[in-house]
Amino acid sequence: MTEPMLDIQNLSVVFGTGRLRVDAVKDVSFHVEPGASFGLVGESGSGKSTVLRAVCGLAPISGGRVMVNGQAVKSPRDKSFYRTAQMVFQDPYASLHPRHTVDRTLSEPLAIHGEKNAEARILEALREVGLGPSFRFRYPHQLSGGQRQRIAIARALILRPKILLLDEPTSALDASVQAEVLNLLDELRVRLGLTYVLVSHDLAVVAHLCDRLLVMRQGEAVEETTAAALRSGQAANEYTRALIQASQGFARDGVEPVLV
Amino acid sequence: MTGAPLVQQPSGARAWLLSPEPASRWQARLGRFYLGWRAFSKNPLAVLGLGVVLLLILVAIFADLIAPYSPIIGGNLRTERLLPPSAAHWFGTDDLARDIFSRVVYGSRTTLWVVMLVAIIATPIGLAMGTVAGYLGGWVDTVLMRITDIFLAFPRLILALAFVAALGPGIDNAIIAIAITSWPPYARIARAETLTIRNSDFIAAVKLQGASTPRIILGHVVPLCLSSLIVRVTLDMAGIILTAAGLGFLGLGAQPPMPEWGAMVATGRNYLIDQWWVAAMPGAAIFVVSLGFNLLGDGLRDVLDPKAAK
Amino acid sequence: MTKPLLEVEDLRVRFHLRTGIVEAVRGVSFQLGHERLGIVGESGSGKSQTGRAILGLTPPPGEVVAKRLTFDGIDLLTASKRTLRTLRGGRISMVMQDPKYSLNPVMTIGEQIIEAYQAHRKASRGEARDKTLAMLEAVKMRDPSRVFSLYPHEVSGGMGQRAMIAMMLVTDPDMLIADEPTSALDVTVQMEVLRILDELVAERGMGLIFISHDLKLVSSFCDRVLVMYAGHVVEELEARHLREAKHPYTQGLMNCLPKLKDDIRPLPTLNRDPAWAL
């Protein structure tokens, strides 16, 4: 068995103390093989995004162990960590600096890590995400939602990371744009040999992009299953079944879904 | 909501500026600047304010060419004292037979000097304190903001008095006093802006690229705080000019015979009833310049800080 | 067929911007009876502006023109402000996307519903209160009298949206416009809110316009669907005949969604034909 690219054991994340204490993630474990794609599914408040944020240092690791590429993560993360793992955020309108051109956004990581020939790297990054050089000097407000998300993906990939953390990368996009971005992500994973961890509330999106997935609810892992099992409608857990049911659209005479 | 725009395409230089596909960093920046200017120039009062401020700068630069007389050496004390406005002396003369127009013209240098120094001293201090406190949070925030509160508690004129008492009267000491009492509001504004920016995804994204804290503050937070700060500083300029004039009026700012509008009003006070022009002319200059900065600030706010506009 | 509740013919919404005139809605026509009509489209398709124009809520500098825009025989374009006010919230109601922005944060939910009721119906406070509690029960609030005295920030998103629906339906409107009423909610809560909406609309024989970007949801919820693209309706069809959609845009919109069952890789993408926008 190869060593996992991401190995999370008994992770818990706690915000605040005393009366304000919130246990955002409780004892969650999973691992992702190199080159695989793993999904985290759940509704708001399930802690799925917090897991990603804990991996990359935006949320504290209160308990458990996170190993990335065979090494336990250090707090604060060092520069080599950021060359291994990068993240794409949900809202393409919020994840790009409004006063920075695409060029500035893409050259920033190169400058931080002292990379040479920024010019060529930027043009290559744009090409990778299907945008031409004409986009290079645009401001975010001159881009559509889908184009912005492509820039965010280009920014995440420009340091050539091994693992990409995707936090609802398509939920703010129109359906047709979502399809384009999902195809792009699929293609990039194969071409660059990336490992994905995808967070989404949309079962269909997760099943499309990932082979294995973990269903989360209120900070806890509910069930780890495979996309194939979801497709055939098999789910051991009642909550997972409710999610599958709800993702099929509105059912007038359907089974009453589980209320939260 | 998009749809099919039914307009003719702009041509020439405008097309270049408004190009949706700028070919260089400069074109992108100029395009942005042009859009801002277009919005700004839609507001006639703001343009008027800008005009007044530009006029102040030009007058200060070319004071030697504009002023017909010396601002310091008066004429014949027997025949040319307290003359009313005339073709020879547009604003009349004062009690030392000096041409008031020349003195107002040279006084613009003092005013501009005050405005520039305060802006150069207070804005960076406020910006640095506010962004660092807001971005780092925790005890840094507490310490910096309590320091800000202490400075905020000083009455401006009293502090100026203390300074002048310690260092001796003079315009530079007055400026220092004004500057160190005017940065706290800027720190507050910068901190408030930073707090909203701090948790945004684009800051998280640059953090995840391994950027250092100074890099994030300087390259990513400061540019977003700058516009609301520029607006506030411009709007405050009127108050700063008035404070400087007030210090001059009390005899604590510029010292005679240096032409300074506040001090000139103070001298004119003795002749207010019979020779109104001695106080009214520099007073009008203070009024016009203050108004100019206010109008400019309002206009800038509409362009730079659309949230705050009506 | 009985007389339609709402008749819209050649509705246009124009925005006079500095850069020129932008038409967000370009000649939309439809009729609504006592049925559930879905309007589907992507962002920028003009679906929300259509809903707003019917209620006269087009934000400035927008301008609404139409050959015909009548509700139950009343011309909405020429009606006085007064008439419009009594219609809005009285006989026509609207549920917006996010309850956080549509409920007044400094009034309790109960007070808001009472106010909405008394604005349109002559009723004593006691009657209004009873009606409000009944309405809160109708939207399946577990403890109506407790919810009555809660402030909007004290309830969850799903409860807030149900409170919103209660407020909008308390006056027994003839027509309800729901603009993305469940998009801000979790899927399981979404289904619950839709079920309540469905029951109430069926019970009261209301006309419903359901505006959404979610083709799957709209087609499973509504009787009839209008598909909008670039400001006009490219296709109108019975929801159950969605599979037989003819317009390539509708087909593309349907196919580009990843599906749990029979998933295709890569996903078919939409090739936007410039001719659709004409």
Side-chain angles (χ1 to χ4, degrees):
Chain A
M1 191 178 136
T2 50
E3 190 160 322
M5 181 57 74
L6 175 69
D7 189 6
I8 293 181
Q9 294 295 328
N10 309 100
L11 173 72
S12 59
V13 177
V14 179
F15 295 110
T17 49
R19 244 161 38 88
L20 298 172
R21 183 186 159 103
V22 178
D23 287 88
V25 177
K26 297 169 218 163
D27 198 24
V28 168
S29 305
F30 65 91
H31 64 93
V32 189
E33 309 298 327
S37 182
F38 189 85
L40 290 170
V41 188
E43 299 187 299
S44 53
S46 64
K48 59 190 189 305
S49 292
T50 312
V51 171
L52 281 201
R53 297 179 85 88
V55 169
C56 62
L58 292 174
I61 297 174
S62 314
R65 195 184 52 142
V66 176
M67 305 260 287
V68 173
N69 202 13
Q71 290 183 330
V73 295
K74 294 192 267 286
S75 289
R77 308 285 183 277
D78 51 15
K79 274 195 177 177
S80 69
F81 172 83
Y82 297 122
R83 302 181 73 112
T84 313
Q86 279 291 322
M87 181 152 160
V88 175
F89 295 83
Q90 170 175 10
D91 184 358
Y93 291 86
S95 67
L96 298 180
H97 195 289
R99 298 276 165 94
H100 287 175
T101 57
V102 169
D103 179 66
R104 172 90 195 266
T105 300
L106 294 182
S107 60
E108 196 73 0
L110 298 176
I112 292 166
H113 292 268
E115 299 273 331
K116 299 279 174 329
N117 62 48
E119 176 94 16
R121 295 277 297 264
I122 289 169
L123 291 174
E124 191 196 345
L126 283 173
R127 202 166 44 240
E128 267 172 7
V129 294
L131 297 176
S134 67
F135 286 87
R136 188 172 161 196
F137 295 105
R138 292 200 200 178
Y139 284 100
H141 69 88
Q142 293 169 313
L143 303 171
S144 69
Q147 289 165 347
R148 287 177 196 222
Q149 202 58 308
R150 282 169 192 263
I151 297 294
I153 293 170
R155 171 178 59 188
L157 290 180
I158 202 162
L159 290 171
R160 291 278 168 260
K162 294 195 172 70
I163 176 165
L164 202 55
L165 309 170
L166 303 158
D167 188 0
E168 303 255 16
T170 60
S171 64
L173 305 175
D174 275 328
S176 58
V177 183
Q178 163 171 291
E180 289 165 15
V181 172
L182 287 178
N183 287 343
L184 172 71
L185 287 171
D186 229 3
E187 179 212 317
L188 285 171
R189 181 166 68 97
V190 174
R191 188 142 56 90
L192 304 174
L194 294 163
T195 307
Y196 283 172
V197 181
L198 171 75
V199 159
S200 179
H201 68 280
D202 190 332
L203 273 186
V205 167
V206 171
H208 177 77
L209 217 55
C210 306
D211 322 312
R212 288 191 304 130
L213 57 121
L214 182 72
V215 181
M216 289 183 69
R217 188 188 191 188
Q218 287 168 4
E220 287 173 59
V222 170
E223 178 178 9
E224 189 176 324
T225 178
T226 61
L230 277 191
R231 286 214 180 85
S232 54
Q234 291 168 359
N237 189 281
E238 193 190 357
Y239 179 65
T240 313
R241 280 201 297 273
L243 283 180
I244 297 175
Q245 168 81 36
S247 75
Q248 303 294 323
F250 182 73
R252 197 148 270 122
D253 308 302
V255 194
E256 195 76 22
V258 180
L259 303 184
V260 181
Chain B
M1 293 284 134
T2 53
L6 307 173
V7 267
Q8 74 293 354
Q9 287 302 305
S11 59
R14 273 187 58 203
W16 184 79
L17 283 168
L18 296 175
S19 162
E21 296 171 4
S24 72
R25 232 155 282 180
W26 274 106
Q27 189 182 353
R29 265 187 220 149
L30 285 174
R32 253 190 101 89
F33 182 78
Y34 174 70
L35 277 178
W37 167 250
R38 234 172 41 165
F40 182 84
S41 58
K42 283 258 158 20
N43 180 346
L45 284 175
V47 175
L48 181 72
L50 180 69
V52 170
V53 173
L54 285 180
L55 188 72
L56 174 77
I57 295 171
L58 288 178
V59 166
I61 294 172
F62 299 109
D64 295 328
L65 302 176
I66 296 167
Y69 302 93
S70 159
I72 295 170
I73 302 159
N76 189 331
L77 279 179
R78 221 173 285 164
T79 55
E80 289 173 293
R81 241 181 118 238
L82 297 171
L83 291 179
S86 64
H89 299 284
W90 290 355
F91 290 0
T93 60
D94 67 4
D95 56 335
L96 295 172
R98 294 175 297 199
D99 179 48
I100 294 177
F101 177 71
S102 304
R103 282 180 66 75
V104 167
V105 166
Y106 275 96
S108 66
R109 283 188 172 172
T110 316
T111 303
L112 199 65
W113 178 238
V114 171
V115 163
M116 266 173 35
L117 268 188
V118 170
I120 288 171
I121 298 171
T123 318
I125 298 179
L127 192 60
M129 292 284 257
T131 49
V132 170
Y135 184 74
L136 294 178
W139 64 268
V140 179
D141 183 29
T142 313
V143 169
L144 290 182
M145 287 333 277
R146 289 306 79 76
I147 294 175
T148 309
D149 287 343
I150 292 169
F151 277 91
L152 209 53
F154 280 125
R156 196 177 272 184
L157 271 174
I158 307 284
L159 189 75
L161 276 173
F163 252 80
V164 169
L167 303 171
I171 193 77
D172 293 329
N173 293 338
I175 290 170
I176 294 170
I178 295 171
I180 62 173
T181 48
S182 46
W183 65 264
Y186 307 150
R188 288 271 180 95
I189 292 175
R191 177 173 174 269
E193 293 266 332
T194 307
L195 287 180
T196 59
I197 298 165
R198 178 171 76 166
N199 294 321
S200 61
D201 283 351
F202 60 84
I203 296 295
V206 70
K207 254 189 224 166
L208 291 191
Q209 284 147 13
S212 61
T213 303
R215 186 181 189 100
I216 296 174
I217 292 180
L218 283 175
H220 299 260
V221 177
V222 165
L224 287 173
C225 298
L226 216 51
S227 50
S228 54
L229 220 58
I230 289 174
V231 171
R232 178 64 198 251
V233 170
T234 316
L235 285 171
D236 275 2
M237 281 308 161
I240 288 163
I241 292 167
L242 289 177
T243 312
L247 284 171
F249 184 86
L250 293 173
L252 302 170
Q255 293 304 301
M258 194 178 171
E260 199 274 328
W261 297 345
M264 288 166 69
V265 174
T267 358
R269 190 181 43 165
N270 303 327
Y271 315 99
L272 206 55
I273 309 298
D274 300 314
Q275 287 88 22
W276 53 268
W277 57 90
V278 182
M281 292 306 177
I286 295 172
F287 168 75
V288 169
V289 172
S290 302
L291 184 68
F293 272 108
N294 261 336
L295 293 177
L296 176 65
D298 269 343
L300 285 177
R301 183 180 52 201
D302 293 350
V303 177
L304 297 176
D305 197 5
K307 283 177 302 207
K310 330 132 212 159
Chain C
M1 194 177 149
T2 50
K3 200 162 141 281
L5 200 58
L6 178 79
E7 287 179 88
V8 179
E9 202 185 327
D10 199 23
L11 175 75
R12 286 167 190 276
V13 180
R14 292 197 186 110
F15 288 90
H16 296 263
L17 303 175
R18 196 165 48 214
T19 46
I21 300 167
V22 174
E23 260 194 334
V25 179
R26 305 184 295 150
V28 166
S29 307
F30 64 91
Q31 296 188 333
L32 177 79
H34 294 275
E35 59 176 333
R36 291 172 291 238
L37 174 72
I39 301 182
V40 188
E42 298 189 294
S43 52
S45 60
K47 58 186 193 302
S48 291
Q49 289 303 339
T50 304
R52 285 167 171 273
I54 294 166
L55 276 173
L57 293 178
T58 302
E63 176 203 17
V64 178
V65 283
K67 282 208 187 102
R68 193 179 166 82
L69 181 60
T70 57
F71 170 74
D72 199 15
I74 305 164
D75 188 342
L76 295 175
L77 288 175
T78 54
S80 66
K81 282 223 163 83
R82 219 183 116 86
T83 320
L84 277 180
R85 254 202 317 271
T86 45
L87 280 180
R88 265 203 303 258
R91 299 190 59 198
I92 312 176
S93 280
M94 185 161 189
V95 177
M96 304 272 199
Q97 180 170 358
D98 201 333
K100 270 202 290 277
Y101 302 113
S102 325
L103 291 170
N104 182 347
V106 296
M107 261 172 101
T108 63
I109 287 168
E111 286 297 325
Q112 292 188 49
I113 300 177
I114 287 187
E115 192 181 87
Y117 187 65
Q118 288 189 322
H120 295 282
R121 301 276 179 275
K122 281 203 176 69
S124 72
R125 217 186 133 74
E127 280 173 288
R129 202 188 144 83
D130 292 343
K131 180 82 188 166
T132 298
L133 286 172
M135 203 62 228
L136 284 173
E137 204 169 343
V139 292
K140 310 256 160 69
M141 294 285 192
R142 254 168 246 158
D143 187 354
S145 53
R146 194 178 70 88
V147 176
F148 185 93
S149 54
L150 290 179
Y151 285 93
H153 69 267
E154 295 174 308
V155 301
S156 67
M159 266 164 90
Q161 198 59 309
R162 280 186 282 161
M164 192 69 209
I165 291 171
M167 186 160 119
M168 286 304 151
L169 296 188
V170 74
T171 52
D172 283 318
D174 301 317
M175 182 170 89
L176 179 71
I177 299 177
D179 187 358
E180 306 265 6
T182 58
S183 304
L185 307 175
D186 279 328
V187 272
T188 48
V189 184
Q190 192 171 357
M191 290 307 139
E192 187 194 343
V193 170
L194 283 179
R195 184 152 291 115
I196 290 163
L197 196 62
D198 185 46
E199 264 176 40
L200 292 173
V201 167
E203 236 169 59
R204 288 154 201 245
M206 269 185 260
L208 173 74
I209 298 181
F210 188 100
I211 300 169
S212 175
H213 68 281
D214 191 336
L215 187 62
K216 199 160 61 179
L217 192 69
V218 167
S219 58
S220 59
F221 187 78
C222 297
D223 308 315
R224 206 152 53 92
V225 180
L226 300 180
V227 181
M228 283 188 73
Y229 182 77
H232 55 188
V233 177
V234 293
E235 189 160 16
E236 177 180 345
L237 67 167
E238 295 293 316
R240 61 202 143 87
H241 297 150
L242 194 69
R243 298 260 149 229
E244 293 119 59
K246 287 195 188 64
H247 198 278
Y249 178 67
T250 320
Q251 291 173 341
L253 212 52
M254 231 162 15
N255 294 335
C256 70
L257 284 170
K259 287 167 196 69
L260 255 188
K261 294 176 181 129
D262 44 67
D263 192 29
I264 314 159
R265 280 174 113 146
L267 288 167
T269 51
L270 201 58
N271 287 316
R272 286 153 201 277
D273 187 338
W276 302 345
L278 297 179

